[in-house]
Amino acid sequence: MRLKPGALLRFYSLCGILVQVAATKNKGRGSQGQFPLTQNVTVVEGGTANLTCRVDQNDNTSLQWSNPAQQTLYFDDKKALRDNRIELVRASWHELSISVSDVSLSDEGQYTCSLFTMPVKTSKAFLTVLGVPEKPQITGFTSPVMEGERMQLTCKTSGSKPAADIRWFKNDKEVKDVKYLKEEDANRKTFTVSSTLDFLADRNDDGAVVSCRVDHESLNSTPQIAMQVLEIHYTPLVKIISSNSWPEEGQSIILTCESKGKPVPEPVLWTKDGGELPDPERMVVNGRVLSISFLNKTDNGTYRCEAKNPIGRNSTEYVLIVHDPNALAGQTGPDHALIGGIVAVVVFVTLCSIILLGRYLARHKGTYLTNEAKGAEDAPDADTAIINAEGSQVNAEEKKEYFI
């Protein structure tokens, strides 16, 4: 019996189906103990993510990658989703690797690798997409700033995921006392962060470089930086420097007025004792320098230097004392007249002390002899003892003269 061509074709198709079913059952029996292996992946927005699924032992069982929406991306080496960003990297019985280029935040999620055993075995891989922060910008600076004014500089960056970190520096030295604010963007995936630096303007900050640095794991250790150079205006700072620390008559002296301010101060003004310089021929002003030649005592006084700019004015003073070189030389030796006078006074005082001491000793010696000779033990003094012994006032006076 001969079969018709159509019936023969149907017969072959049926046989093929039976063979495929049997092969699938055999595959399932050999792969029961195998599980696909995957790894989580982190990629920067706009980069390329590589998803790899491996099976150590596989007897021709199919592998498949699916996206978070459970759409099949690749089934073995066959592309299932029309997306030009998705490409096949490697396809074998032991591995199925694909790549997703130009990754966006919407690509983030859980991807599934399936091994078509009976039952099907799966492994999950989470794709994390990092949002790159935008280049920061510093706002709030108006130039110039007057000394003593309060400055508030704000640094802001958007689009970071997770939220970026902002740090402030002034001339490469980190400033810690700052405010930090984090806000979620409209897409509810990325963040906008800002930080404010608040301080009082100081003349020492003029020309300083203030920088705002954004650190984020998506930047590969290369932070984004915004910089601002500060311009501070301040009143002049004035100082007088003398060329001679001990000026003497006949010598010369140069007084230099150093003034620093911003804007640069105008030419300085020199005065003496509150008025104009009295001797323009000897007192010459050249810019900030005052030169005085052939010094004499009339040049003694207070010299003032004043500097000003549009912000304000300031001044300082120098007291000039012209010394006499002859008087200075005379003071270098000892004053012999003064020394002689002191010696004479000492000698005179010493002689007077000796005389008085001698008189005192002689007087008390006579008293002792009188009391001893006359036996006047009850006599209060020498005079009484003599009077009592002789019995007359006249003899007493003579005796007194003798003993004295």
Side-chain angles (χ1 to χ4, degrees):
M1 182 179 65
R2 301 181 63 182
L3 297 176
K4 294 181 179 180
L8 183 61
L9 180 61
R10 286 194 294 272
F11 174 75
Y12 285 137
S13 298
L14 180 60
C15 291
I17 293 173
L18 293 175
V19 171
Q20 289 181 1
V21 171
T24 303
K25 289 181 179 180
N26 291 332
K27 293 178 183 178
R29 294 190 191 97
S31 304
Q32 289 297 324
Q34 297 301 311
F35 283 87
L37 302 175
T38 59
Q39 287 185 336
N40 295 332
V41 177
T42 299
V43 64
V44 176
E45 184 180 12
T48 299
N50 292 312
L51 300 172
T52 299
C53 179
R54 290 188 176 89
V55 180
D56 291 338
Q57 296 179 2
N58 185 10
D59 49 0
N60 301 335
T61 302
S62 297
L63 292 170
Q64 172 186 291
W65 269 112
S66 303
N67 64 12
Q70 295 302 313
Q71 296 173 315
T72 301
L73 303 179
Y74 264 88
F75 184 83
D76 288 335
D77 59 351
K78 299 177 181 60
K79 188 174 184 177
L81 186 65
R82 292 183 179 180
D83 189 337
N84 294 331
R85 299 179 305 129
I86 303 174
E87 295 181 356
L88 179 66
V89 177
R90 180 180 175 82
S92 69
W93 296 115
H94 298 284
E95 178 181 334
L96 178 60
S97 296
I98 63 174
S99 66
V100 183
S101 60
D102 194 19
V103 174
S104 64
L105 295 174
S106 61
D107 292 322
E108 184 175 84
Q110 187 169 266
Y111 288 73
T112 304
C113 175
S114 302
L115 175 65
F116 281 90
T117 59
M118 294 297 291
V120 176
K121 298 175 181 177
T122 61
S123 180
K124 308 293 184 180
F126 197 90
L127 175 62
T128 300
V129 181
L130 301 177
V132 182
E134 298 177 357
K135 185 175 178 60
Q137 292 184 344
I138 297 177
T139 58
F141 179 75
T142 56
S143 182
V145 178
M146 303 301 148
E147 183 178 26
E149 288 186 1
R150 180 167 296 278
M151 298 182 64
Q152 289 186 334
L153 304 181
T154 300
C155 179
K156 186 176 182 180
T157 179
S158 302
S160 59
K161 177 182 172 294
D165 183 35
I166 295 180
R167 300 166 66 187
W168 285 96
F169 293 84
K170 184 187 292 184
N171 287 340
D172 298 327
K173 183 179 181 180
E174 186 171 2
V175 181
K176 295 289 188 180
D177 188 15
V178 296
K179 298 178 181 178
Y180 181 83
L181 178 64
K182 177 179 70 174
E183 296 177 333
E184 194 175 54
D185 293 334
N187 59 17
R188 304 185 67 82
K189 292 180 178 292
T190 59
F191 295 88
T192 294
V193 293
S194 60
S195 179
T196 301
L197 177 63
D198 190 338
F199 62 99
L200 293 177
D202 185 83
R203 64 181 60 200
N204 295 324
D205 293 330
D206 183 51
V209 178
V210 173
S211 58
C212 158
R213 192 173 87 177
V214 176
D215 293 308
H216 194 262
E217 53 188 299
S218 67
L219 301 176
N220 296 324
S221 302
T222 305
Q224 293 181 342
I225 299 176
M227 294 186 296
Q228 178 66 61
V229 179
L230 302 183
E231 183 181 2
I232 312 297
H233 283 192
Y234 54 93
T235 56
L237 180 65
V238 186
K239 180 173 64 173
I240 295 178
I241 299 177
S242 172
S243 65
N244 193 340
S245 59
W246 190 268
E248 299 178 357
E249 287 184 294
Q251 294 182 346
S252 61
I253 191 171
I254 297 177
L255 301 179
T256 302
C257 180
E258 291 188 350
S259 60
K260 181 181 179 182
K262 195 164 186 180
V264 177
E266 300 174 3
V268 299
L269 174 64
W270 282 99
T271 58
K272 179 179 183 292
D273 297 329
E276 297 182 354
L277 299 176
D279 192 346
E281 293 186 358
R282 290 189 306 109
M283 301 177 177
V284 180
V285 176
N286 184 11
R288 305 179 187 279
V289 177
L290 170 61
S291 301
I292 306 176
S293 58
F294 304 106
L295 291 171
N296 57 64
K297 294 289 186 180
T298 62
D299 297 327
N300 289 345
T302 301
Y303 292 80
R304 176 190 291 268
C305 166
E306 181 181 282
K308 65 178 181 178
N309 63 7
I311 308 303
R313 64 180 63 199
N314 204 349
S315 63
T316 188
E317 296 179 345
Y318 176 84
V319 178
L320 174 62
I321 300 177
V322 180
H323 301 274
D324 184 354
N326 297 323
L328 183 63
Q331 293 176 359
T332 57
D335 192 337
H336 297 287
L338 178 61
I339 295 175
I342 294 175
V343 172
V345 171
V346 172
V347 171
F348 176 76
V349 172
T350 303
L351 292 176
C352 291
S353 300
I354 293 173
I355 294 172
L356 293 175
L357 181 60
R359 290 172 62 87
Y360 175 80
L361 293 176
R363 183 181 184 88
H364 282 271
K365 182 178 180 182
T367 302
Y368 172 76
L369 293 174
T370 302
N371 290 333
E372 188 71 15
K374 304 302 179 181
E377 296 179 356
D378 56 345
D381 52 32
D383 294 343
T384 305
I386 295 171
I387 295 173
N388 293 338
E390 299 297 332
S392 67
Q393 185 66 29
V394 176
N395 293 335
E397 291 298 329
E398 294 177 353
K399 294 289 184 182
K400 287 172 62 178
E401 293 178 0
Y402 171 78
F403 284 108
I404 292 172

